[in-house]
């Protein structure tokens, strides 16, 4: 998880780590990692993942944020502020019923039919439940990239530098 990787880097318990944005990168070197789940040149994006009845009346692959108004939402706590800010810009406060620390929790709530999971596309596609529907969120424009990071002030071994150069 991003928080534990950041802590390990700050405490010098790790030399490098893979994390998902958003995060404060002021003291780190950052290299975005291309995700092979996406076509070349396409950025990751946020999706809504839920049972089909949450999307009744919308047969589109992409939905506006307003379609989430009044519906129970489940999200990772790192994305809460971004989601609330975006929804408020569209005239409503989201009904977040669960904030969690992992995509598996969000997927479980969606699989149980309790709410709509809000997650990056590349995290949502790990879902194997064919009864869930994925909808691109049109108005959530933040791209949650996966990045390789390391401390700016740390001297790295040549083997680690060689690994970093693969990206």
């Amino acid at each position: 998880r991003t928080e534990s990787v950041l802590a390990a880097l700050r405490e010098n318990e790790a030399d490098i780590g893979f994390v998902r944005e958003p995060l404060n990168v002021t003291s780190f070197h950052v290299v975005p990692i291309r995700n092979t789940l996406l076509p070349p040149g396409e950025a990751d994006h946020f999706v809504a993942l839920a049972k089909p009845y949450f999307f009744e009346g919308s047969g589109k692959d992409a939905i506006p944020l307003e379609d989430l108004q009044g519906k129970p939402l489940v999200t990772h706590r790192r994305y809460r502020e971004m989601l609330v800010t975006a929804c408020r810009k569209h005239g409503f406060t989201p009904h977040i019923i669960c904030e969690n620390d992992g995509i598996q929790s969000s997927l479980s709530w969606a699989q149980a039919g309790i709410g709509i999971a809000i997650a990056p596309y590349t995290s949502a596609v790990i879902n194997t439940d064919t009864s869930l529907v994925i909808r691109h969120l049109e108005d959530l424009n933040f791209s949650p990239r996966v990045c390789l990071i390391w401390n700016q002030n740390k001297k790295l071994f040549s083997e680690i530098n060689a690994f970093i150069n693969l990206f």
Side-chain angles (χ1 to χ4, degrees):
R1 296 175 21 209
T2 295
E3 292 81 15
S4 58
V5 171
L6 292 172
L9 288 168
R10 285 187 189 106
E11 311 254 334
N12 288 317
E13 295 171 357
D15 294 316
I16 60 175
F18 290 95
V19 296
R20 184 181 287 277
E21 294 178 320
L23 62 124
N24 182 350
V25 296
T26 55
S27 60
F28 299 105
H29 287 288
V30 178
V31 176
I33 304 298
R34 189 181 108 56
N35 194 312
T36 57
L37 294 172
L38 298 168
E42 185 175 315
D44 202 356
H45 53 275
F46 279 90
V47 297
L49 181 76
K51 297 286 186 181
Y53 54 81
F54 281 107
F55 303 115
E56 286 180 356
S58 175
K60 302 179 288 181
D61 289 335
I63 60 171
L65 276 176
E66 291 86 356
D67 283 8
L68 301 178
Q69 187 170 359
K71 294 180 180 175
L73 306 179
V74 179
T75 191
H76 192 288
R77 68 181 75 252
R78 271 188 305 148
Y79 305 134
R80 181 188 191 286
E81 185 177 327
M82 175 204 52
L83 179 62
V84 169
T85 299
C87 290
R88 286 184 177 156
K89 285 181 183 176
H90 286 85
F92 71 99
T93 299
H95 178 54
I96 299 172
I97 60 168
C98 176
E99 294 176 38
N100 56 59
D101 289 321
I103 185 64
Q104 288 304 114
S105 294
S106 294
L107 292 177
S108 294
W109 284 61
Q111 289 166 344
I114 298 170
I116 301 170
I118 306 300
Y121 171 78
T122 54
S123 293
V125 295
I126 67 170
N127 165 60
T128 57
D129 185 341
T130 57
S131 72
L132 295 180
V133 175
I134 296 178
R135 297 286 186 257
H136 176 90
L137 290 171
E138 293 174 344
D139 307 311
L140 210 48
N141 297 321
F142 176 76
S143 176
R145 301 180 303 177
V146 172
C147 299
L148 174 63
I149 67 170
W150 64 96
N151 285 319
Q152 289 180 356
N153 299 323
K154 185 165 186 167
K155 178 143 175 60
L156 301 175
F157 292 107
S158 60
E159 295 85 359
I160 294 172
N161 282 318
F163 178 76
I164 290 169
N165 288 330
L166 293 173
F167 301 98

